[in-house]
Amino acid sequence: MGTYYATIKWNRGSDEFLKQKYSRGHTWHFDEGITVPASASPLVLRAPLSVAAAVDPEEALVAALSSCHMLFALSLLSKHGAVVESYEDAAEGVMEKRADGKTALTRVTLRPVITVSANAPDAETFAKIHHDAHEECYIANSVNFPVLVEPRLVLR
């Protein structure tokens, strides 16, 4: 169905590489010339070895799950006839040790707040739209941990 590409670039920049004292700052390069500063998470590795102002892989995965869900939810809401004014999600990923001793993201909770100005779905339809969006989301279908969705509808 499709092939996706990203180019990741890092340069040593320090004589301390063999002592594990090097910056984990790097860049992600995507199509159309988009470059995103990236780094190890400052929750995993403190500055100056990480770059707090950069995106880390863990938060990028949380953002990808949120973005994917949003795109499907907006499409379904549009097909339903709802006029969506805004969509905001304070998504949260939890990393912890699993039973097998490996550290991993163990769950992500999406908390989308959708503001609708006309033709708002009823509560049952709104819940079904988010259930269907979750079922269709490519990223959610690709991970091996629970992705919980706690949507809230705001009428304007």
Side-chain angles (χ1 to χ4, degrees):
M1 291 183 67
T3 304
Y4 301 89
Y5 301 94
T7 300
I8 312 306
K9 294 183 180 181
W10 172 87
N11 290 304
R12 180 169 47 94
S14 167
D15 292 334
E16 301 286 314
F17 181 76
L18 296 178
K19 296 178 184 176
Q20 295 288 304
K21 294 181 181 179
Y22 59 91
S23 174
R24 275 40 170 212
H26 56 284
T27 53
W28 297 344
H29 302 267
F30 300 99
D31 56 355
E32 303 300 324
I34 302 297
T35 299
V36 176
S39 177
S41 170
L43 298 174
V44 175
L45 192 63
R46 294 180 188 218
L49 302 181
S50 66
V51 181
V55 177
D56 61 66
E58 298 83 2
E59 63 191 359
L61 180 55
V62 171
L65 282 160
S66 176
S67 182
C68 185
H69 182 88
M70 178 195 72
L71 294 169
F72 279 106
L74 289 175
S75 176
L76 293 168
L77 285 159
S78 174
K79 288 176 184 175
H80 176 76
V83 180
V84 177
E85 296 298 328
S86 66
Y87 185 112
E88 184 173 330
D89 185 359
E92 175 184 37
V94 175
M95 186 178 321
E96 56 193 358
K97 290 258 189 210
R98 298 186 312 204
D100 65 4
K102 293 184 179 183
T103 302
L105 281 173
T106 58
R107 73 182 170 281
V108 168
T109 304
L110 307 179
R111 294 184 180 93
V113 176
I114 299 94
T115 302
V116 175
S117 61
N119 303 324
D122 60 38
E124 184 179 328
T125 303
F126 185 68
K128 182 172 179 2
I129 284 170
H130 282 282
H131 171 80
D132 293 349
H134 178 69
E135 290 295 313
E136 293 183 37
C137 174
Y138 313 131
I139 309 301
N141 290 334
S142 301
V143 299
N144 65 355
F145 53 80
V147 179
L148 310 171
V149 183
E150 301 172 355
R152 185 165 63 95
L153 178 63
V154 175
L155 303 177
R156 189 177 99 181

